[in-house]
Amino acid sequence: MLKTADIEKTADDFSRILECDMSLAPFSSFRIGGIARRLYRPADIAETHALTASLGGENFRILGGGTNVLFASPVIAEPIVVVPRATTWRVIERTEGRVLVEADAGLPMSVLVNETASRGLAGLEVMAGVPGTVGGALVMNAGGRHGTIADAVESVRVLNGTGETTIPATEIEFAYRRSSLKGEMIGAARFALAPRASEAVRERMRAIVDEKRASQPLGARCAGCVFHNPPGISAGGLIDEAGLKGAACGDAAVSEVHANFIVNRGRASAADVLALIDKIRGEVGRRFGITLETEIEIW
Ligand code: EPU
């Protein structure tokens, strides 16, 4: 629990968890990044809370797993707060046909998906193969063809200046790769799962991962789908049809596996990725008259 003494600390009291002029490359699944002037790495939620309170009115950015972001600026001056990594989740309540589990925002999605499946808890299999953390997945309403994280959310706890607020799922707006949680510092979330035979849950999860493995460059240095699908159309399909698979700017290349993924083949810079994004948008615009919008965040 938070202590008032912690909340009253000033930003200077957090020098222990502050890294100055830190390369952001290791914090991005692209492995590309400029410099963060001030990168804070709180150890846990309580410290995150105290830190964000101490930053007062100063704008800061929240960084989760870094699996959907391109650090394009050579220098980011605004403080960045890295969501503390979590390793565990817990069962909160078991009732007939429903098991409520809770995970901190910094828990890797894969841990939650694999471990709940092993315990025979169904509901998160659609998130199998989705990288990143629980918090990031909620903000982005991550998911795939079979559903999104929104389908299993019961409530989300967000930190505010003086405490925490629990937002029931019914009060959160979830849309295509977007939610009203954007900009909130998420502490934890609860998911309503269903008890099932563990083998059945794991089987469904495996099928979804296999499907992904066949159609996406899983494990590559990339940030998932780069562009939103225009309504009713696959951005990857358009880029593929435009003949852009394998197209490259420096070491940034359109994946040969799925054309809506840009992969860093080695030493790609942010400028390479941006140039490739421009090239793709230009070509798709010219051929199909469709303007692709980026899904990844560009910082
Ligand atoms: N297609 C091609 N060439 C390609 C890629 C796709 O022809 O290079 C075709 C496929 O054959 C298929 C159609 O386009 O007929 C749709 O492709 P796919 O099923 O792979 O789905 P998608 O619409 O490209 C969406 C999400 C993915 C999610 C998959 C699977 C977006 C932008 N993408 O991709 O989400 O994993 O469905 O569920 O919504 C992400 O958001 O980062 C992401 C990867």
Side-chain angles (χ1 to χ4, degrees), residues 143-146 176-177 212 215-216 223-225 227-229 234 236-237 240 245 257-261 295:
R145 176 176 313 142
H146 303 278
Y176 169 56
R177 296 296 182 274
K212 279 228 163 91
S215 61
Q216 297 182 8
C225 284
F227 299 99
H228 281 297
N229 281 341
S234 163
D240 191 356
K245 269 190 174 169
V257 186
H258 192 301
N260 199 6
F261 284 65
E295 175 185 308

Side-chain angles (χ1 to χ4, degrees), residues 111-186:
V111 171
L112 186 62
V113 171
N114 287 322
E115 293 187 3
T116 50
S118 298
R119 295 266 294 270
L121 299 175
L124 289 168
E125 310 88 289
V126 300
M127 300 303 291
V130 174
T133 56
V134 168
L138 284 163
V139 171
M140 282 299 295
N141 191 20
R145 176 176 313 142
H146 303 278
T148 69
I149 194 166
D151 305 340
V153 185
E154 192 259 354
S155 62
V156 175
R157 265 201 337 259
V158 300
L159 310 190
N160 58 39
T162 50
E164 292 181 335
T165 312
T166 299
I167 313 178
T170 49
E171 287 173 23
I172 302 170
E173 192 196 320
F174 286 108
Y176 169 56
R177 296 296 182 274
R178 188 169 65 72
S179 83
S180 54
L181 294 167
K182 177 81 193 142
E184 300 283 3
M185 175 61 90
I186 299 175

Side-chain angles (χ1 to χ4, degrees), residues 89 91 93-101 109 112-128 146 148-154 190-206 208:
W89 55 279
V91 171
E93 185 187 283
R94 266 177 202 278
T95 48
E96 183 69 30
R98 189 179 101 136
V99 180
L100 199 58
V101 306
M109 200 65 234
L112 186 62
V113 171
N114 287 322
E115 293 187 3
T116 50
S118 298
R119 295 266 294 270
L121 299 175
L124 289 168
E125 310 88 289
V126 300
M127 300 303 291
H146 303 278
T148 69
I149 194 166
D151 305 340
V153 185
E154 192 259 354
R190 291 185 176 188
F191 299 94
L193 305 180
R196 296 268 186 282
S198 140
E199 195 38 50
V201 186
R202 284 163 60 192
E203 185 48 46
R204 174 147 194 256
M205 199 184 81
R206 271 196 296 269
I208 291 175

